[in-house]
Amino acid sequence: MMKPGGRDICRRRHAETGSECCLPDTHYPRPHSDISGTTWHDGLCPDCHGGGTVFNAVCPTCNGHGFALLDVD
């Protein structure tokens, strides 16, 4: 999906806050970043495997976004 300004925006959401990544899709391997400057790394959720639900309920690990936060040193 093309966004204003001609950039393809990542739009990945933070698993806890739900804030949206505002960087171009090509930002990998740099961390995600929202408009406030908060940055995070994430990966496919180990509990719902990206589906967003566990036993027909919103996944508590990723809040339904399908990606969980990763600790990066």
Side-chain angles (χ1 to χ4, degrees):
M1 172 185 295
M2 293 301 288
K3 292 290 178 187
R7 297 190 315 178
D8 191 9
I9 305 298
C10 175
R11 301 184 67 199
R12 182 83 58 83
R13 292 193 174 271
H14 188 284
E16 293 175 355
T17 66
S19 62
E20 190 173 82
C21 180
C22 63
L23 297 177
D25 253 348
T26 56
H27 72 80
Y28 182 82
R30 294 180 322 183
H32 297 287
S33 181
D34 67 13
I35 198 156
S36 73
T38 300
T39 60
W40 70 95
H41 288 276
D42 63 10
L44 196 62
C45 179
D47 293 331
C48 70
H49 306 287
T53 60
V54 177
F55 301 115
N56 297 319
V58 173
C59 178
T61 302
C62 68
N63 291 319
H65 300 299
F67 296 90
L69 300 178
L70 298 175
D71 290 325
V72 178
D73 294 332

